Amino acid sequence: MNISPSSSPRSPRGVLLVHGAWHTGRAWDGVAAGLRARGVAVAVAELHRGSLAADIATAESALDRLTDGGPAVVCGHSYGGAVITGLPPHKVDHLVYLAAMMPDHGETALGLLASAPPTDLTTSMVGDLAGTTTIDREAAGRLFHAQLGDEERARHAAGLVPQLMAPAHQPTTSAAWHHRPSSYVVCTEDRAMHPDLQRRFAARATHALTWHSDHGVFASHQEETVGLLHRLAAADRPAPVGAPSA
């Protein structure tokens, strides 16, 4: 993917970061700091609002807080991909999916996972798929962060929270990637979301990249993630589609 830096003196576009299931916005701390050090305005959504629609609404609220007010680069990890997919296209400059759900109309996160070969996620979840689940603490480090050292694995695992499963059962009602350019990062060493499913999503995207990453790509490939998002934020492209008329 060739993304040329803009020669314009204007500031880069803002970037919205959207975490996945069982995670919180703290997962993005390193990426957010790296982007801010490069002069990029960053907003981080905090999900766990009880439904897919509510998670999309809170991500949109975070998007609206970005300083320049223009269309932004939006990045979702894992379940966060379903959330960014539901954002209003006129507020989005580019969608970035990091080992993330990229559903089309009518698809659900759990339905998509069930359509792919099983992974270690199935045996690592504790709880009721109809209610709330957690990730087994002993399994979490290997599941999400196999490429990190023991100390970093433990730190990330300690930040996991219970996950209401209702959003994963709820179908996507709009898909911004039909209207805006997108990049999909396939993580070949992922033990949570099968790489075959990710390749199916990558075929939907405008651009596809392959990284030899575990599921926690924001940590194991933090510099690559920062670099990708910064290039997209600074890139020169045509103006986005206009907002829908009232």
Side-chain angles (χ1 to χ4, degrees), residues 48-241:
H48 304 294
R49 307 294 173 162
S51 71
L52 177 58
D55 284 343
I56 293 169
T58 199
E60 185 178 356
S61 294
L63 183 59
D64 290 341
R65 291 196 295 272
L66 284 169
T67 54
D68 67 2
V73 175
V74 299
C75 177
H77 172 250
S78 197
Y79 163 72
V83 175
I84 67 170
T85 293
L87 290 171
H90 71 276
K91 295 185 178 183
V92 172
D93 181 76
H94 197 104
L95 299 120
V96 180
Y97 294 86
L98 298 180
M101 288 291 163
M102 191 177 180
D104 205 346
H105 300 91
E107 294 178 336
T108 69
L110 281 177
L112 288 164
L113 285 175
S115 72
T119 66
D120 293 345
L121 178 63
T122 305
T123 56
S124 301
M125 284 192 291
V126 179
D128 183 0
L129 284 179
T132 301
T133 63
T134 58
I135 298 297
D136 178 80
R137 187 58 58 88
E138 293 300 316
R142 297 186 303 274
L143 178 68
F144 293 137
H145 300 291
Q147 294 177 335
L148 298 182
D150 291 344
E151 185 175 335
E152 282 295 286
R153 282 190 199 177
R155 183 176 66 83
H156 282 284
L160 299 177
V161 298
Q163 175 67 50
L164 288 171
M165 297 307 294
H169 291 279
Q170 294 162 354
T172 295
T173 58
S174 63
W177 55 265
H178 280 296
H179 309 284
R180 304 305 300 138
S182 57
S183 295
Y184 197 97
V185 177
V186 176
C187 294
T188 61
E189 308 308 305
D190 197 328
R191 298 181 180 182
M193 183 185 297
H194 200 284
D196 285 355
L197 179 58
Q198 296 182 44
R199 293 183 187 102
R200 282 165 48 193
F201 293 143
R204 296 174 169 179
T206 313
H207 308 282
L209 304 89
T210 299
W211 294 352
H212 298 298
S213 175
D214 54 16
H215 189 65
V217 55
F218 52 83
S220 63
H221 287 63
Q222 179 179 302
E223 290 304 313
E224 293 89 337
T225 302
V226 170
L228 172 62
L229 295 175
H230 178 253
R231 289 194 299 274
L232 288 166
D236 213 6
R237 284 185 301 279
V241 294

